[in-house]
Amino acid sequence: MKPAAKPKLAVWKFASCDGCQLSLLDCEDELLAVADAVQIAHFTEATRSVVAGPYDLSLVEGSITTAADAERIQEVRRISRRVVTIGACATAGGIQALRNFRDVREFTEHVYAHPEFIDTLEKSTPISAHIRVDFELHGCPVNKHQLLEVISAFLARRKPNTPPHPVCMECKRRGLVCVMVAHGTPCMGPVTHAGCGALCPAYQRGCYGCFGPKETPNTRAFSDYCGGAPLGIDPGTLARLFSTFNAAAEPFQKESNARKP
Amino acid sequence: MPTRVIQVDSLARVEGEGALFIQLSGKTVLDVKLKIFEPPRFFEAFLRGRHFTEAPDITARICGICPIAYQMSAVHAMEDACGIQICPALRALRRILYCGEWIESHSLHICLLHAPDFLGYDSAISMAKDHPDIVQRGLQLKKVGNEILAAIGGREVHPVNVRVGGFYRIPTRADLRPLADSLKRARDSALENVRWVAGFEFPLMESAPEFVALRHPEQYPLNEGRVVSLSGLDIPAAEFEAHFTEEHLAHSTALHCRMNGRGIYSVGPQARYNLNFAQLAPIAKEAALAAGLAPTCTNPFQSIVIRSVEVLHACDEALRLLSEYEPPPPTPPVKPRAAVGHACTEAPRGLLYHRYRIDADGIIQEARIVPPTSQNQKAIERDLWNFVAEHTDLSDADLGLRCEHAIRNYDPCISCSAHFLKLNVQRV
């Protein structure tokens, strides 16, 4: 009898920094084991060879910012059994979604001498705005252990174990001192999706929300606390706090708009 | 005479999205274009209006492979604007961190992206079936680079600890102690790596004659120094824009950079090596000479050897700095002032220039970033032009493959430059 075929894994890139797919190559101890467990069928950053689809699992990095990419993502969906987005760009539009709130023509003219050579959409949008997505992994960048967990879960046809609670839970579990209460440092831990292991508070700085909003974040209460005594954060700073790597994630976008001076 | 068009639609084993287009008529090359279609992300536009303290975290997101380079150029430019001098202990800690990124980024390129070209594999994963020990060695080297990034910066990609003026949390000696054992093993592996790549066969090619890198009187350049070139340019970072011009061409979302009056030049490991050989650690210098390199090397295909020498240097340098490590004092808050700040640092792929104009409240009014790959684009196209002209007898598939190999000599980072490759060869 022939052994069962290995599942086919594909990695796709749209507008992004490459950091999330690099996280897979950063699994130095596990990479060759992963390559043994699956057939790496499409992964341009790692290999020239391309195995034709369909693919069992497609990991998608990056956001949609061009008309050509808006078409390409449809093709990715068509040839993939499961689509998992990895990182803030694919899941929320990324830092490049800051254009969504400004005039993209002015942006193009500012950076490029010949704006007419540039093909770009007015908005940077997450993958879910274009196709059905089976799972979204948060983070700018994703946590490589969570990435391995998601790949393993999909291969085993089970739900990935990536808790949706806030960074605060991870922080308390590590026994860290709260930087907001103890030092008056604004920290987005209460409203931010867990996954990093409370990295920033462990480095004595406030969380800057790179994993995006947790489930049902109370952004208003958070801002009111930061804006009042004793922190006294000014509205401009608050608006900027919500307007970074997950600027177009709805709860963060709304709160940023509400605080804009 | 029929025209041949050779096209590589999606360049593999490079960071980001690019393509190659070659047009030939018989033995005459009509056109060579390195196309960069990485979508624009407009960093320089949306940095306006942000607070100066946000620049290191925001610009890190330009590139997941070399975030420290962006963080270092950003903090040095902001410190220049704010008139801050940093203490020697902080300077040393930043050097250890940057060594980590060089080890991680170079080892990724040497072992996973570039070596398969010389040994005839599609990827390091297929190479691992025949040479498991070598691929493992590369991965373990890369891992040590990442250990440094995680120990000092918090994580491998987009570390969180760098701030204008210093670090959020200064690592203790005990925090960094475990790195020394890893680095000692890494230094041994790095030396074996130099010997391994030195045995590859290198196609003969001469690169563009001009190299640009930082130079510092006391050390191999990382964070500081003057911008110098082989033909005698010698300027401070603040004068970069007076000597270099970026052009926007139709086939690329990356700007092409040219040195005024001197034309095509390249940056990166080869440029640094050619301009700073004397500053390499003795163990790296000896390994380079034993590998058959002269103190000046102009064959771009040998860049893999130089990159391996730099990994060895970075391991040795990080070890030396660790043995002398004294934690710097906690970083005081930095007070902004209305000013312009400039900085050049040496990203793994070469010189990275940042300029910011900030106001008295620290709000960024203007930002300018010139990444290494946009500086190398013209040199890559020139190399391709020369290579194709001498190899017109190859089949389209072979020619395309060999051209991809020539492009990977520069470890191009397309994500960075899209402000980069598919191969297209057209034979007329």
Side-chain angles (χ1 to χ4, degrees), chain B residues 79-407:
Chain B
E79 289 157 9
D80 181 43
C82 299
I84 303 280
Q85 300 290 331
I86 61 161
C87 68
L90 186 59
R91 209 172 146 251
L93 182 56
R94 285 184 173 169
R95 275 182 77 81
I96 300 171
L97 179 64
Y98 220 148
C99 283
E101 182 159 280
W102 277 26
I103 296 167
E104 167 269 324
S105 175
H106 277 1
S107 300
L108 169 75
H109 189 258
I110 295 163
C111 301
L112 296 181
L113 309 183
H114 207 192
D117 278 329
F118 291 92
L119 300 176
Y121 294 95
D122 278 341
S123 72
I125 292 159
S126 54
M127 195 167 91
K129 293 196 173 68
D130 298 337
H131 305 283
D133 296 349
I134 288 173
V135 174
Q136 269 304 345
R137 185 175 73 205
L139 285 167
Q140 290 309 311
L141 256 174
K142 178 171 167 304
K143 188 180 171 190
V144 173
N146 275 335
E147 280 173 20
I148 297 177
L149 294 175
I152 300 174
R155 61 184 169 194
E156 299 88 345
V157 180
H158 306 326
V160 302
N161 197 13
V162 172
R163 71 186 296 183
V164 178
F167 290 88
Y168 288 92
R169 177 178 169 273
I170 303 290
T172 61
R173 278 213 201 110
D175 288 336
L176 302 187
R177 200 169 291 131
L179 295 176
D181 276 345
S182 300
L183 272 164
K184 279 182 195 140
R185 282 194 305 272
R187 187 171 55 181
D188 295 342
S189 301
L191 186 55
E192 287 168 29
N193 226 33
V194 175
R195 293 176 182 144
W196 172 58
V197 298
F200 292 171
E201 264 185 60
F202 303 103
L204 289 176
M205 183 151 76
E206 282 290 310
S207 64
E210 186 62 313
F211 295 94
V212 174
L214 290 180
R215 183 184 277 155
H216 186 275
E218 283 147 32
Q219 56 217 165
Y220 203 73
L222 272 169
N223 272 319
E224 297 157 285
R226 288 171 67 87
V227 179
V228 301
S229 84
L230 217 51
S231 74
L233 181 82
D234 185 351
I235 55 164
E239 289 174 24
F240 182 88
E241 287 172 70
H243 294 269
F244 297 86
T245 306
E246 278 187 307
E247 296 167 328
H248 185 201
L249 304 179
H251 65 274
S252 178
T253 53
L255 301 173
H256 285 49
C257 199
R258 183 166 53 74
M259 189 170 6
N260 301 341
R262 302 177 201 230
I264 302 177
Y265 68 100
S266 69
V267 297
Q270 204 150 9
R272 286 192 291 260
Y273 174 92
N274 287 339
L275 288 158
N276 298 283
F277 178 81
Q279 305 282 18
L280 281 170
I283 187 175
K285 230 185 264 181
E286 280 163 29
L289 297 174
L293 291 176
T296 304
C297 167
T298 53
N299 182 350
F301 285 97
Q302 286 180 293
S303 67
I304 190 169
V305 189
I306 295 175
R307 213 167 268 117
S308 304
V309 168
E310 284 198 337
V311 173
L312 178 58
H313 172 82
C315 291
D316 189 71
E317 173 78 353
L319 261 176
R320 186 184 65 80
L321 291 165
L322 276 174
S323 68
E324 301 165 353
Y325 179 62
E326 284 291 339
T331 303
V334 174
K335 206 174 163 309
R337 63 178 188 187
V340 178
H342 311 78
C344 283
T345 72
E346 285 286 350
R349 288 156 193 78
L351 196 73
L352 169 59
Y353 170 77
H354 284 214
R355 167 174 58 84
Y356 301 96
R357 183 163 56 82
I358 60 173
D359 69 13
D361 297 322
I363 302 297
I364 299 171
Q365 306 296 313
E366 204 183 332
R368 176 89 193 279
I369 294 167
V370 183
T373 296
S374 71
Q375 301 182 67
N376 279 338
Q377 252 195 126
K378 278 186 183 293
I380 297 173
E381 286 184 350
R382 180 194 172 276
D383 281 6
L384 290 171
W385 195 288
N386 292 344
F387 188 83
V388 171
E390 281 174 27
H391 297 87
T392 51
D393 49 328
L394 291 177
S395 70
D396 287 7
D398 271 358
L399 194 55
L401 182 63
R402 302 283 290 273
C403 284
E404 280 194 65
H405 183 172
I407 291 166

Side-chain angles (χ1 to χ4, degrees), chain A residues 11-16 18 21 42 44 55 58-80 83 121 127 130-131, chain B residues 9-10 16-18 37-39 422:
Chain A
V11 182
W12 306 94
K13 180 189 150 60
F14 293 86
S16 67
D18 273 46
Q21 53 178 317
H42 185 283
T44 312
Y55 305 102
S58 274
L59 301 174
V60 179
E61 174 191 280
S63 69
I64 305 298
T65 62
T66 66
D69 278 356
E71 281 177 28
R72 187 160 61 101
I73 192 64
Q74 298 296 336
E75 176 65 10
V76 170
R77 177 71 265 185
R78 210 177 55 72
I79 56 177
S80 308
V83 172
L121 297 171
I127 302 304
H130 299 264
I131 59 166
Chain B
D9 287 339
S10 198
E17 296 187 300
F37 55 96
E38 178 83 17
K422 283 185 176 179

Side-chain angles (χ1 to χ4, degrees), chain B residues 27-43:
Chain B
K27 289 187 172 303
T28 309
V29 186
L30 299 177
D31 199 10
V32 173
K33 280 195 185 93
L34 179 62
K35 292 180 162 186
I36 292 189
F37 55 96
E38 178 83 17
R41 293 170 68 213
F42 306 113
F43 277 84

Side-chain angles (χ1 to χ4, degrees), chain A residues 57 146-158:
Chain A
L57 176 59
Q146 286 203 326
L147 181 58
L148 285 177
E149 160 61 17
V150 168
I151 295 171
S152 313
F154 274 87
L155 296 178
R157 303 187 181 214
R158 61 171 171 83

